[in-house]
């Protein structure tokens, strides 16, 4: 597995590397591409391979220092290199680099916080969450703290699904990720109105039945869970999270094939997540399970 990290020479960049390293399942096979994608008015462009390859061409002493700092954050034994590139759009530059390097996902740090106190992705992350052809993974301050409590390893995956076509896609991708990392999978659905969240409500019974059908045959390591609350914020707060957990979301039905589009419900959930998150694009053709 190859991951592309959108690296910035600050705390966000360090946290992105932490999250990416937590997703490494086989150090002999997996690798990291650390991308410094810079505005066009930045006067350099460089490639800095890490490991035993030495360094080839660096057109700026600053890029050299940033590259060395980035590689120093990667644990020993994980293959990594840094590429710096000037582009007109940072988000589009990351998408282009992901295609060029064959990266299976883009990983970002996330320190932005709304003035109201909840987490909010920055401009680059928002652009990627509505256009990327590969999954986007993003940390947040609380999620990084929980990951460190888990000694830098993902402990469980929770895939959030709704009642729209495409739920099976999210589950299928989450199952593959859980198997690759050797951990359990929780599949969760939110029911968020007081009238619908009653234990005997028809909506809640139908939701549980649908979730059981979606997860049937996936094995004992897949745990279905219906989460209730008067609001999305309340429901998210009621979920029991493990340190080192990763939340996975699918794309909105508005997303074109092989593209991300984070829906409004997932955006609200993102604001209060205490764990890192991943958003996966639709597959081309079909709606999955």
């Amino acid at each position: 597995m190859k991951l592309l990290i959108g690296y910035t020479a600050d705390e966000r960049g360090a946290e992105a590397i932490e999250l990416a390293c937590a997703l490494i399942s086989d150090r002999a096979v997996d690798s990291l591409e650390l991308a410094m994608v810079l505005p066009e008015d930045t006067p350099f462009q460089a490639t800095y391979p890490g490991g035993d390859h030495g360094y080839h061409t660096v057109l700026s002493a600053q890029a050299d220092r940033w590259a060395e700092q980035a590689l120093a954050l990667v644990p020993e034994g994980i293959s990594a290199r840094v590429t710096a590139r000037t582009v007109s759009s940072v988000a589009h530059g990351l998408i282009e680099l992901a295609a060029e390097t064959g990266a299976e996902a883009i990983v970002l740090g996330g320190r932005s916080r709304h003035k109201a106190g909840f987490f909010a992705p920055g401009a680059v992350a928002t652009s990627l969450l509505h256009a990327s052809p590969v999954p986007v993974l993003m940390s947040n301050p609380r999620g990084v703290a929980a990951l460190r409590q888990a000694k830098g390893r993902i402990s469980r995956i929770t895939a959030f699904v709704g009642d729209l076509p495409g739920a099976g896609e999210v589950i299928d991708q989450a199952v593959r990720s859980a198997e690759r990392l050797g951990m359990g999978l929780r599949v969760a659905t939110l029911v968020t109105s007081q009238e619908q969240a009653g234990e005997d409500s028809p909506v809640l019974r139908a939701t549980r039945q649908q979730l059981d059908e979606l997860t049937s045959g996936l094995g004992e390591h897949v745990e279905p869970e219906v989460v209730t609350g008067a609001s999305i914020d309340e429901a998210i707060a009621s979920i029991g999270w493990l340190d080192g957990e990763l939340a996975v979301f699918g794309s909105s039905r508005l997303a074109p094939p092989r593209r991300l589009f984070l829906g409004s419900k997932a955006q609200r959930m993102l604001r209060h997540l205490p764990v890192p998150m991943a958003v996966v694009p639709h597959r081309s053709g079909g709606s999955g399970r």
Side-chain angles (χ1 to χ4, degrees):
M1 182 179 188
K2 180 177 290 187
L3 299 173
L4 180 75
I5 299 171
Y7 179 76
T8 51
D10 55 18
E11 196 166 6
R12 286 181 302 167
E15 291 178 356
I17 292 175
E18 280 189 69
L19 176 56
C21 290
L23 297 163
I24 295 291
S25 60
D26 187 344
R27 293 192 175 193
V29 175
D30 297 344
S31 63
L32 303 179
E33 295 279 344
L34 285 74
M36 296 190 297
V37 182
L38 307 159
E40 282 184 332
D41 57 1
T42 302
F44 58 83
Q45 179 170 322
T47 299
Y48 187 110
D52 295 330
H53 300 290
Y55 118 42
H56 290 167
T57 303
V58 177
L59 302 181
S60 165
Q62 183 63 70
D64 187 5
R65 288 192 292 271
W66 285 341
E68 289 181 347
Q69 291 169 6
L71 292 171
L73 296 172
V74 179
E76 185 177 354
I78 296 178
S79 175
R81 71 170 187 170
V82 178
T83 298
R85 175 173 297 181
T86 56
V87 293
S88 57
S89 163
V90 173
H92 290 164
L94 288 171
I95 290 173
E96 290 174 357
L97 272 173
E100 290 175 17
T101 61
E104 297 177 44
I106 298 171
V107 185
L108 303 173
R111 303 289 304 177
S112 298
R113 186 165 292 279
H114 192 274
K115 61 183 179 181
F118 54 77
F119 172 76
V124 173
T126 298
S127 295
L128 287 171
L129 290 173
H130 292 86
S132 176
V134 297
V136 172
L137 295 99
M138 189 168 58
S139 65
N140 60 62
R142 294 173 65 194
V144 169
L147 189 60
R148 289 171 181 168
Q149 287 293 322
K151 302 187 186 303
R153 305 305 299 174
I154 301 296
S155 58
R156 181 174 66 179
I157 293 175
T158 290
F160 286 95
V161 298
D163 57 359
L164 297 173
E169 292 183 10
V170 181
I171 295 174
D172 289 345
Q173 293 189 59
V175 166
R176 289 196 297 271
S177 295
E179 289 176 345
R180 182 179 61 82
L181 293 168
M183 65 190 55
L185 169 65
R186 176 171 58 169
V187 180
T189 296
L190 268 61
V191 179
T192 56
S193 78
Q194 290 179 330
E195 294 77 18
Q196 295 176 350
E199 285 298 319
D200 296 326
S201 75
V203 171
L204 190 56
R205 290 198 301 270
T207 301
R208 285 175 173 154
Q209 180 179 351
Q210 180 188 41
L211 191 57
D212 287 341
E213 291 173 355
L214 283 168
T215 58
S216 65
L218 295 179
E220 59 183 12
H221 297 297
V222 177
E223 172 191 359
E225 181 175 338
V226 177
V227 182
T228 63
S231 66
I232 290 177
D233 298 347
E234 183 179 297
I236 286 292
S238 72
I239 296 176
W241 297 100
L242 300 177
D243 287 337
E245 192 150 4
L246 176 70
V248 177
F249 297 88
S251 291
S252 164
R253 59 183 173 180
L254 299 176
R258 297 190 182 278
R259 284 292 187 277
L260 292 184
F261 192 93
L262 190 65
S264 58
K265 186 174 182 179
Q267 289 183 52
R268 288 192 61 190
M269 294 169 67
L270 166 62
R271 299 188 307 177
H272 298 286
L273 277 179
V275 297
M277 62 162 287
V279 183
V280 299
H282 282 319
R283 289 194 300 243
S284 179
S287 59
R289 187 187 302 273

